[in-house]
Amino acid sequence: MSEYDDATRLETGDDPTQRHGTFSEDWMIGNAVNGGLVMTTALRALGEHLAADPGETTEHVDPVVLSAYFMTASQPGPFTVTTEVMRCGRTLSTGQMTIHQAGDDGRPVERMRAIGSFGNLTDLEVQRQAAPAEMPPPDQCLSADQAPPGFLSNAKFLDRLDLRLDPDTAGWALGKPSMRGVMRGWLRLRDGREPDTTLLMLALDALPPVAFDLGLFGWTPTLEFTGHVRRRPEPGWLQVTLGSDTLGGGMMEEDAMIWDSAGNLVAQSRQLCGVRTPR
Amino acid sequence: MSEYDDATRLETGDDPTQRHGTFSEDWMIGNAVNGGLVMTTALRALGEHLAADPGETTEHVDPVVLSAYFMTASQPGPFTVTTEVMRCGRTLSTGQMTIHQAGDDGRPVERMRAIGSFGNLTDLEVQRQAAPAEMPPPDQCLSADQAPPGFLSNAKFLDRLDLRLDPDTAGWALGKPSMRGVMRGWLRLRDGREPDTTLLMLALDALPPVAFDLGLFGWTPTLEFTGHVRRRPEPGWLQVTLGSDTLGGGMMEEDAMIWDSAGNLVAQSRQLCGVRTPR
């Protein structure tokens, strides 16, 4: 079993709408559990709910779209995912996911609420897709191992990933952000677990924030994230690009696109982040 | 009172989480009430809920982000919006909106569920924004009045709007789609009601589907829509551009951007649509 599968494992009890798991410190980034892991955990819960319900269309195994709103930062420790199936149609099954953890006073605190749809992306006929960005191959990119000492000490999450940044968009790590609002890199799980459609949602939110390339090194918490999965990824490296055109009023937008090892666009997302000044 | 304000008017009863209204045939497009009107109605309900709740931050009057999932087509007639306030923070107040109508058997049928956040976009300092697209002024663009006879007979919604399409992206109306997946136009309400941040969510989904420019003239129902509002619009025309890079597996993505009369980016959105073959 891979680290990722282990981290998102859920247990069921008597209530078919509730599943329980434990967030690990190993997936933290800053003072929170990585939001991508929180989202894929929620998707796994809805997928298991759909599969377990004898009345539902069991071929809807691929998350196709997810909109997640983050209320409070997830912490290491137990959590509960509550799922609700909203509608099962011919093409998509749609449901809601909510993640709670016990707060300091023991009462449940909502971490994230999301709505998403599952479909089936087998043997998809694709008529139009964006071409992959041009960038050097992984062995000519910069790995986290080459980051300045102490730079990644606060990001255990990055130990789970093999992330290679395009040198052209990694100047921020040396104090020279390009100020274009661009980040490009290759990504795979360090334990060799191959990507699937659920894991793509984590990969869309796994690179360093594009804010770094704008010289903004404060915390940029995800407020809202919407990801679309376009097709099932081939095994191998994922090629991820981030961009941002909009920054103002203490918020910014971050757009991500992912191509698989066959050069096919497999996922894209947009998120709204807060922009906090570093202290 | 404007047609738009009238169409989204809500009445309250004893339950502070429920508001009631009536969808009019005047806002239909094809066999459904326009999804943009459904979304702005839901936002108005959440805005009224937030404003009425003495415990909430009443400065959060501008919708900043909305993610809506459409389950069934809204029909002319009474509806109920149910709102839930999920979290009120310093920057954003976040809540959920659900719209139901009575089905044929009288039982409630869910039309749309959405999560969204309100904030305050007064006197926003904007650091980065995309520049407006180049297009001819409204009086050199094509209005719906110039469309081929019968073309708009099924879209009463378009009578509410003054919509001027850039001739460069209107070839589809004469059977010559550009096949680039682009649509550009100017938009304002025909009754002169000026845009506000809530109305921008309707404007993001008001142009003809970008699918038309790809020669796809079937029904393209919105499955999921996420819109971001960037700032308050100045009075006057809205400049709207649509694009699409992704089409496959019976689904496509449609991206919209809106600039106001001062040339500022005020809103952008992405939606996932179904692509149905015309019969």
Side-chain angles (χ1 to χ4, degrees), chain B residues 184-263:
Chain B
R184 291 188 293 267
W186 301 92
L187 187 69
R188 61 182 179 187
L189 289 186
R190 209 180 276 271
D191 67 7
R193 203 268 200 198
E194 294 294 355
D196 58 22
T197 45
T198 300
L199 183 61
L200 289 176
M201 292 287 188
L202 181 149
L204 286 164
D205 196 28
L207 261 61
V210 73
F212 286 2
D213 189 51
L214 294 170
L216 300 167
F217 293 101
W219 183 236
T220 52
T222 303
L223 304 169
E224 171 272 340
F225 170 100
T226 296
H228 292 195
V229 174
R230 304 298 180 196
R231 57 198 290 169
R232 292 187 179 168
E234 294 293 323
W237 286 101
L238 298 172
Q239 184 178 351
V240 188
T241 69
L242 304 187
S244 176
D245 287 326
T246 319
L247 170 64
M251 290 184 280
M252 67 183 296
E253 141 264 4
E254 179 180 292
D255 291 332
M257 300 180 87
I258 302 183
W259 292 266
D260 67 5
S261 60

Side-chain angles (χ1 to χ4, degrees), chain B residues 17-38:
Chain B
T17 69
Q18 291 210 327
R19 285 167 176 76
H20 308 277
T22 304
F23 288 133
S24 154
E25 288 192 0
D26 292 345
W27 293 83
M28 288 186 83
I29 178 102
N31 296 315
V33 176
N34 169 259
L37 188 82
V38 175

Side-chain angles (χ1 to χ4, degrees), chain A residues 18-189:
Chain A
Q18 292 209 329
R19 284 166 176 76
H20 308 277
T22 304
F23 288 132
S24 155
E25 287 192 359
D26 292 343
W27 293 82
M28 287 186 82
I29 178 103
N31 296 315
V33 176
N34 169 259
L37 188 82
V38 176
M39 292 191 288
T40 56
T41 301
L43 281 171
R44 184 165 172 176
L46 182 58
E48 290 182 6
H49 184 161
L50 288 168
D53 192 329
E56 312 307 349
T57 309
T58 52
E59 4 179 283
H60 293 167
V61 295
D62 297 302
V64 172
V65 55
L66 176 79
S67 301
Y69 284 70
F70 292 87
M71 257 85 66
T72 54
S74 292
Q75 299 299 322
F79 64 83
T80 300
V81 196
T82 308
T83 51
E84 175 194 350
V85 176
M86 289 155 57
R87 179 170 187 268
C88 292
R90 192 176 50 81
T91 312
L92 296 177
S93 294
T94 299
Q96 181 167 312
M97 297 141 270
T98 308
I99 291 192
H100 286 92
Q101 291 188 297
D104 291 337
D105 59 0
R107 291 162 68 178
V109 176
E110 187 166 357
R111 299 305 191 199
M112 185 215 69
R113 192 180 303 193
I115 309 176
S117 300
F118 279 68
N120 191 300
L121 301 180
T122 313
D123 297 332
L124 208 64
E125 189 191 350
V126 172
Q127 284 96 2
R128 284 168 64 90
Q129 61 176 349
E134 290 200 16
M135 50 189 273
D139 61 6
Q140 293 172 33
C141 288
L142 299 168
S143 82
D145 306 333
Q146 296 166 269
F151 198 84
L152 300 175
S153 58
N154 204 18
K156 288 190 177 177
F157 165 68
L158 292 179
D159 289 339
R160 313 275 81 73
L161 306 176
D162 191 351
L163 171 62
R164 312 287 180 91
L165 286 182
D166 182 344
D168 185 47
T169 67
W172 53 268
L174 301 169
K176 293 178 185 165
S178 82
M179 304 306 284
R180 292 170 301 178
V182 175
M183 190 94 64
R184 290 188 293 266
W186 301 94
L187 187 70
R188 61 182 178 187
L189 289 187

Side-chain angles (χ1 to χ4, degrees), chain B residues 134-145:
Chain B
E134 290 200 16
M135 49 189 275
D139 61 5
Q140 292 171 33
C141 287
L142 299 167
S143 82
D145 305 335

Side-chain angles (χ1 to χ4, degrees), chain B residues 54-130:
Chain B
E56 312 306 347
T57 309
T58 51
E59 315 165 339
H60 293 170
V61 295
D62 297 302
V64 171
V65 54
L66 176 78
S67 301
Y69 283 69
F70 292 87
M71 259 82 69
T72 53
S74 291
Q75 298 300 321
F79 64 83
T80 300
V81 196
T82 309
T83 51
E84 175 194 350
V85 176
M86 291 156 55
R87 178 170 188 266
C88 291
R90 192 177 51 84
T91 314
L92 297 177
S93 295
T94 299
Q96 181 167 313
M97 298 141 269
T98 308
I99 292 193
H100 286 93
Q101 291 188 297
D104 290 339
D105 60 0
R107 292 162 66 180
V109 175
E110 188 167 356
R111 299 305 191 198
M112 184 215 72
R113 192 180 301 192
I115 308 177
S117 300
F118 279 69
N120 192 302
L121 301 180
T122 313
D123 298 331
L124 209 63
E125 189 190 350
V126 172
Q127 284 93 2
R128 284 167 63 89
Q129 62 176 347

Side-chain angles (χ1 to χ4, degrees), chain A residues 207-277:
Chain A
L207 261 61
V210 73
F212 287 1
D213 189 52
L214 294 169
L216 301 166
F217 293 101
W219 183 235
T220 50
T222 303
L223 303 170
E224 171 271 339
F225 170 100
T226 297
H228 292 195
V229 174
R230 303 298 180 197
R231 58 196 291 165
R232 292 189 179 166
E234 293 294 322
W237 287 100
L238 298 173
Q239 184 178 351
V240 188
T241 70
L242 303 186
S244 176
D245 285 327
T246 319
L247 169 65
M251 290 183 279
M252 67 183 297
E253 141 262 5
E254 178 180 292
D255 291 331
M257 300 179 87
I258 303 183
W259 293 266
D260 67 6
S261 61
N264 287 313
L265 179 75
V266 289
Q268 64 190 116
S269 65
R270 176 172 295 152
Q271 63 173 273
L272 184 70
C273 319
V275 179
R276 308 281 157 78
T277 311

